[in-house]
Amino acid sequence: MKLLIKKGRIIDPSQGIDQIGDLLVEEGIIKGIADDIPSDQYTKVFWAKEKWVLPGLVDIHVHLRDPGQEWKEDIETGTRAALYGGVLRVACMPNTVPPNDTPEITSYILKKVEEKGYVKVYPIGCITQGQKGEELTEFGRLKEAGVVAVSDDGKWVAHSEVMKRALLYAKQFNLAVISHCEDPTLSQGGQINEGFFSAKLGLKGIPWSAEVAAVVRDLLLAKETGQPVHLAHLSCKEVFPFLRWAKEEDIPFTAETCPHYFCLTEKEVDEYNTLAKVNPPLRREEDVLAIKEALKEGLIQVIASDHAPHSVLEKEVEFSLASPGMIGLQTLLPLSLTLVKEGWLNPLKLTECLITNPAKVINVEPPSLKPGKKAELIVFDPNKTYVLGPDVIQSKSKNTPFLNKELQGITVLAVIGEKVWEFNQPV
C-alpha cells in the first residue's frame, strides 16, 4: 500500500520542518518528503492543501478509567477518542479502581490495549501503594511490566520524605515522576477558584497557594536529589516566578498545562456549571494570560489534555457533589490552536509542546516524519469550523464545557503503520 499526501503543510518538530510539500508512506513506513512526489496506479492520493501534516500527538495526562470505572470510559472508547483527536500515543494515569500500583494492573491495561485499543498506550504507575502517600510501590517491577512514569495523580505526595525517596528511587529506573501539585491542607473541601465567584456562589474556594506550595516543595526536592520532577496541570500565575528561579538554579523539572487553563476562566462556573468544574480549578483572566506567556517563554514545555471522563451520574448533581474533570482528547489540538491564532506560538513551537516535549518527559522516542520511521501521522484541518455535538464526541462521557459549542480545527486523517483512518468531517 502506498499513500501519498499531497501539498500539505508538513510540520515536524523532531526535524525542525515547517514546509509545503508531499509525503509518501509505503507499507506503513515513511519513504520521503519532497516538493513534488509523482503517484502511480498503486498509490492512494490524499490532497492536504491548506491542511497540516503532523506526527501524531503525545498526550501524557489521560484518564482511561479502566479498570474499575468503565461506565465513564474504557480503553476502547478512550483510545478511539484519542485517534479522532489526532493523539496517537497516550499515557494513562494510575488512579483507576484498583489503582495501578502493581505489575498485574499494568499488564491488564496493556492486554486490554492489545485487544481493543486504537492507539499506543503507556501506563503510568502509582508512586505509593494505594495512592495513600505512605509506602512506595515497587518501581522496578512496575517498569518491567511496562510503566513509563510514576504519579499519584489526583493526590499530592504530601509527606516530603516519601517524595524524596520516590525521586531517588525513580532515578535508578529512569522513570519520570509526575506530581499532582496541590497541597490538600490548603485545598481540602474546595470547589472552585478562591475569589469573586466562590464568594458569589457560596462555594469553598481553592487558593492559588495550594498549587504554589506544592510546586515549591517539589522543586526543592528535585534540586536536592538531582532527579527531574514533572509538574502537572499548572493553572495560576503565582507559580511562574518560582519556575524562573528553578531555571536559573538549573533545577531539573518540566511543567505542563492544559488547554482549559489558557482558554477558559472561572466565569465558566457561574450558575453552578458542573461541566466547568475541574481540579485544579479554572482561574482568573490574569492566570490565562500568564500561562500563555509561560508557554511562549518556555517555562511550560508540555500541553496535555488531562482527559477526565465522568458520566451524567457524576456531573448532573449538586455542584459540591459533582466530580471534577472534563474530557479533552478530541479538543486538545483545536483548543491549543488558539495559541497560534493569537500569536503566542508558531506551529512548530506548538507541536513541540504537543509531540516531542511530552515524549521526552516519559523517556520515549517521539513520533517523527523522518524517512524510514513507522508512519504515525495525522492530517489536521486548522480552518474547519464545526459544532462539538454529542455525536462528534467519541468518548463514552460527554462532560465538557465545549459541548455544543463551535470549534475550529479537526483531524481528517490518521495513519498508524499500514492502518489508515479517514474521518468524515462534521457539518
Side-chain angles (χ1 to χ4, degrees):
M1 189 277 293
K2 291 182 182 178
L3 171 66
L4 180 59
I5 299 172
K6 296 284 289 182
K7 305 307 174 194
R9 183 174 179 178
I10 299 169
I11 303 168
D12 183 2
S14 74
Q15 303 181 78
I17 290 175
D18 184 355
Q19 66 184 60
I20 305 297
D22 295 357
L23 184 147
L24 179 64
V25 177
E26 191 170 344
E27 295 181 350
I29 304 296
I30 293 172
K31 301 303 285 186
I33 295 170
D35 290 339
D36 186 47
I37 299 176
S39 62
D40 58 33
Q41 60 181 323
Y42 305 107
T43 306
K44 173 181 171 59
V45 177
F46 185 90
W47 285 92
K49 190 175 181 182
E50 297 184 353
K51 298 177 178 65
W52 293 2
V53 183
L54 309 170
L57 308 189
V58 181
D59 190 344
I60 61 172
H61 200 135
V62 174
H63 299 273
L64 293 178
R65 303 300 191 204
D66 191 354
Q69 295 180 311
E70 292 87 350
W71 70 90
K72 301 183 183 190
E73 190 79 284
D74 58 39
I75 284 167
E76 182 178 7
T77 59
T79 57
R80 186 172 67 232
L83 180 73
Y84 273 68
V87 180
L88 303 191
R89 299 190 196 178
V90 303
C92 60
M93 285 298 176
N95 52 337
T96 47
V97 182
N100 185 13
D101 59 359
T102 66
E104 289 75 20
I105 300 296
T106 304
S107 298
Y108 163 85
I109 292 167
L110 290 173
K111 187 172 187 298
K112 208 77 175 288
V113 171
E114 193 178 331
E115 292 170 356
K116 298 189 173 182
Y118 287 86
V119 303
K120 175 83 174 172
V121 173
Y122 300 107
I124 295 172
C126 296
I127 294 175
T128 63
Q129 295 174 24
Q131 293 194 301
K132 294 177 181 177
E134 297 167 356
E135 298 293 327
L136 296 180
T137 57
E138 297 183 60
F139 289 10
R141 292 185 65 219
L142 285 170
K143 181 163 185 178
E144 281 179 15
V147 307
V148 295
V150 289
S151 177
D152 273 2
D153 189 59
K155 297 178 180 179
W156 186 53
V157 180
H159 195 298
S160 297
E161 176 62 23
V162 172
M163 185 62 168
K164 180 180 175 180
R165 283 193 279 114
L167 288 164
L168 290 169
Y169 195 23
K171 186 187 287 190
Q172 298 177 41
F173 300 103
N174 196 31
L175 284 172
V177 179
I178 301 173
S179 178
H180 174 98
C181 304
E182 178 194 16
D183 184 337
T185 62
L186 291 165
S187 66
Q188 192 168 20
Q191 300 293 317
I192 61 176
N193 182 55
E194 185 175 272
F196 173 80
F197 283 95
S198 63
K200 176 187 176 184
L201 299 175
L203 296 169
K204 189 175 188 303
I206 300 174
W208 54 258
S209 57
E211 183 169 302
V212 176
V215 165
V216 171
R217 195 284 310 264
D218 289 341
L219 288 172
L220 291 173
L221 292 178
K223 179 180 174 70
E224 189 171 29
T225 61
Q227 169 68 5
V229 64
H230 180 69
L231 308 168
H233 47 48
L234 298 185
S235 67
C236 63
K237 72 169 190 173
E238 285 80 7
V239 81
F240 299 120
F242 297 98
L243 297 194
R244 291 187 187 96
W245 164 79
K247 212 170 177 181
E248 290 167 5
E249 292 286 316
D250 289 325
I251 297 173
F253 78 94
T254 48
E256 158 201 311
T257 194
C258 312
H260 41 278
Y261 297 122
F262 55 77
C263 289
L264 300 174
T265 71
E266 60 182 344
K267 292 176 185 175
E268 293 292 323
V269 300
D270 205 5
E271 298 183 2
Y272 302 97
N273 178 12
T274 59
L275 292 178
K277 183 180 180 181
V278 285
N279 191 29
L282 301 176
R283 299 201 188 266
R284 306 154 295 182
E285 292 276 5
E286 59 213 74
D287 296 303
V288 169
L289 179 61
I291 287 169
K292 292 174 181 177
E293 289 173 339
L295 283 159
K296 184 176 182 179
E297 188 179 336
L299 285 176
I300 297 176
Q301 304 87 7
V302 173
I303 301 172
S305 69
D306 197 0
H307 176 80
H310 292 295
S311 73
V312 292
L313 300 173
E314 291 86 30
K315 282 295 187 180
E316 291 186 7
V317 293
E318 185 180 333
F319 196 95
S320 62
L321 300 177
S323 297
M326 64 178 73
I327 56 171
L329 281 165
Q330 284 181 251
T331 54
L332 177 60
L333 187 49
L335 295 180
S336 297
L337 189 64
T338 304
L339 299 165
V340 174
K341 290 189 287 187
E342 294 181 357
W344 292 98
L345 300 178
N346 62 39
L348 200 55
K349 187 68 178 175
L350 176 66
T351 53
E352 282 180 18
C353 295
L354 290 165
I355 303 168
T356 50
N357 291 347
K360 285 176 189 173
V361 170
I362 58 172
N363 300 305
V364 299
E365 187 179 351
S368 172
L369 301 181
K370 291 176 184 173
K373 294 289 185 184
K374 175 185 172 181
E376 282 183 272
L377 64 89
I378 63 170
V379 178
F380 176 74
D381 186 344
N383 302 305
K384 172 71 177 178
T385 57
Y386 58 99
V387 174
L388 188 72
D391 55 326
V392 176
I393 295 171
Q394 300 299 309
S395 291
K396 197 174 282 189
S397 296
K398 315 297 179 186
N399 56 305
T400 171
F402 298 99
L403 183 66
N404 296 320
K405 301 284 179 64
E406 187 174 88
L407 294 184
Q408 182 178 335
I410 194 166
T411 302
V412 295
L413 184 83
V415 182
I416 303 176
E418 295 191 59
K419 294 180 179 178
V420 179
W421 291 269
E422 195 169 341
F423 304 116
N424 294 323
Q425 296 188 33
V427 178

